[in-house]
Amino acid sequence: MTTPEAPQRRTRIGRWRDQLIAYGWLVLAWNLFWGEFTWGNLLGGLLTAGVVLLFFPLPPVTFHGRLRPWGLLVFGGRFVVELVRASAHVARIAVQPGYTPRSAIIGVRLRLPTDLNLALTAEVLSLVPGTLIIEVDRDAGILYVHVLDVRGPASLAASRDQVRAVEGRIVAAIGSTAELRRTRTGEVDKEFP
C-alpha cells in the first residue's frame, strides 16, 4: 500500500538526481574548459558548479524516454552524412563566382513541443552548415530557422521536411514509445512562411 507521500518523495528524489547529474556535467565542463584535469581544476569546478546551481537553478527537464541503440546509430550516421553534404554545398556557394544565394527564415512547428525536444532539435540544426536557429517559440513549439540557398516554394517545403526529419530521428533515438508514435502519426496544425 502506497502512502500519499510516496509520489511526492519520488518527485523529490528525481529532482535531487537531476541536480546531481547537472552538477556532475558542470564539473566536467569546467575541467574541459581549462583543458586539463588537475586537483585545482576539480576543486574549482566543484565550487563553481555549486554556485551556479545555487544562484541559477536549472528548470526541471523531464525525460521519459529511453535510449534506443539502433535509433542512435541511424541518427549519428544521418547526421554525419548531412554534415558532409551541407558543408560541401556551402563551400560550393562560397567559391562559385557571381552567385548570390537567396536565404529565408521559416517557422516549423514541432510535433513534440517539449523543452528537451526543442533544445535538441535546435542544437542539431545549428550544427549543420547552412541552417541557423533564429528564435524558439517555446509556448507554441515553433523553431524559426534561417536556411541558405532557397530556390522556391519546393525548397522551403524541403527545408521544413528536413527539420521534422531531424526531430523524428532524435525521438527515434531517445524518445518514449508514446513520443515515437506521435512523431510518426502526429499532424502539424499550421505552416508558417
Side-chain angles (χ1 to χ4, degrees):
M1 181 173 191
T2 62
T3 64
E5 297 174 356
Q8 189 176 27
R9 186 171 357 128
R10 276 192 297 249
T11 303
R12 200 172 336 131
I13 290 171
R15 263 192 308 240
W16 279 102
R17 182 197 65 220
D18 293 345
Q19 289 292 325
L20 188 60
I21 291 170
Y23 187 76
W25 279 109
L26 287 171
V27 171
L28 177 66
W30 179 266
N31 281 275
L32 291 173
F33 290 147
W34 282 102
E36 61 182 341
F37 289 95
T38 64
W39 288 109
N41 286 343
L42 180 63
L43 181 61
L46 292 170
L47 291 173
T48 303
V51 168
V52 166
L53 290 176
L54 180 66
F55 292 109
F56 306 104
L58 300 172
V61 176
T62 56
F63 177 69
H64 299 290
R66 62 183 192 129
L67 294 177
R68 293 183 174 85
W70 178 251
L72 284 169
L73 186 65
V74 169
F75 171 77
R78 289 294 303 266
F79 177 72
V80 168
V81 168
E82 286 181 7
L83 190 63
V84 170
R85 186 177 56 205
S87 297
H89 183 75
V90 170
R92 182 186 60 80
I93 290 172
V95 298
Q96 189 172 356
Y99 181 70
T100 305
R102 294 178 52 187
S103 60
I105 297 174
I106 58 172
V108 183
R109 184 183 305 272
L110 298 183
R111 293 164 288 198
L112 291 174
T114 63
D115 288 343
L116 183 62
N117 190 44
L118 284 166
L120 290 176
T121 305
E123 288 297 325
V124 169
L125 290 172
S126 291
L127 290 172
V128 176
T131 58
L132 179 67
I133 300 300
I134 301 296
E135 184 178 348
V136 176
D137 186 346
R138 182 178 174 202
D139 295 329
I142 299 171
L143 294 179
Y144 292 95
V145 185
H146 177 272
V147 291
L148 183 65
D149 200 22
V150 176
R151 298 176 188 208
S155 184
L156 290 174
S159 296
R160 280 191 186 94
D161 291 342
Q162 180 184 6
V163 170
R164 290 194 187 107
V166 167
E167 176 194 21
R169 285 193 295 273
I170 289 171
V171 172
I174 64 165
S176 69
T177 304
E179 291 172 338
L180 188 58
R181 186 173 34 251
R182 184 168 176 191
T183 56
R184 289 184 177 161
T185 62
E187 291 296 319
V188 179
D189 295 333
K190 3 177 189 174
E191 297 292 333
F192 292 86

